[in-house]
Amino acid sequence: MEKKNKTTMPKKYNRVNIAGLNIKRIRTTNFPNMSQNGLAAQLQLKGIIITKNTIQRMEAGLCAINDIQLVAIAEVLHVTIDKLLDESPYQIKYPTEENPNKNVAE
């Protein structure tokens, strides 16, 4: 019997965070010279212990982002937390009881 992790979305949605896509979009659009390594370095200056690999996993939706990290990322990228959590650019749809087959839009 497979155990379910309550902090992640079902596997078919392939993401465990909402903000990752926005972090990548904002980082590459507003700061084209800021690499994942550069973002990690800026966060480290704010006292966040993080690596480039963690940034990569966050942007890919493979690891959760805690509230302290989210606040620091918003500060470094000069945006609000709301901007990082905005799903509208990606039209993400989650299943409902009426339509259990909805899937994440790409």
Side-chain angles (χ1 to χ4, degrees), residues 65-72 81:
I65 304 169
N66 70 41
D67 55 350
I68 295 169
Q69 292 168 328
L70 195 64
V71 168
I81 293 169

Side-chain angles (χ1 to χ4, degrees), residues 52-67:
K52 175 238 178 225
N53 290 342
T54 303
I55 300 295
Q56 183 179 28
R57 290 175 48 78
M58 285 176 174
E59 290 181 351
L62 299 175
C63 75
I65 304 169
N66 70 41
D67 55 350

Side-chain angles (χ1 to χ4, degrees), residues 5 7-18 94 104:
N5 184 344
T7 61
T8 61
M9 287 187 274
K11 189 169 184 150
K12 71 179 182 179
Y13 299 107
N14 299 323
R15 301 199 65 79
V16 297
N17 68 51
I18 295 169
Y94 300 102
V104 176

Side-chain angles (χ1 to χ4, degrees), residues 1-61:
M1 184 174 201
E2 184 181 327
K3 289 184 180 180
K4 289 188 178 182
N5 184 344
K6 292 183 182 182
T7 61
T8 61
M9 287 187 274
K11 189 169 184 150
K12 71 179 182 179
Y13 299 107
N14 299 323
R15 301 199 65 79
V16 297
N17 68 51
I18 295 169
L21 291 171
N22 288 324
I23 292 168
K24 182 174 183 174
R25 179 179 53 80
I26 292 165
R27 177 181 61 79
T28 58
T29 302
N30 297 359
F31 304 93
N33 295 324
M34 182 185 286
S35 63
Q36 292 171 335
N37 225 3
L39 178 55
Q42 291 295 312
L43 292 169
Q44 289 168 6
L45 291 174
K46 291 187 165 291
I48 305 296
I49 300 170
I50 197 164
T51 65
K52 175 238 178 225
N53 290 342
T54 303
I55 300 295
Q56 183 179 28
R57 290 175 48 78
M58 285 176 174
E59 290 181 351

Side-chain angles (χ1 to χ4, degrees), residues 79-94:
V79 295
T80 64
I81 293 169
D82 288 344
K83 283 284 187 195
L84 295 180
L85 296 175
D86 183 13
E87 295 179 277
S88 62
Y90 307 102
Q91 299 175 352
I92 296 173
K93 296 178 176 70
Y94 300 102

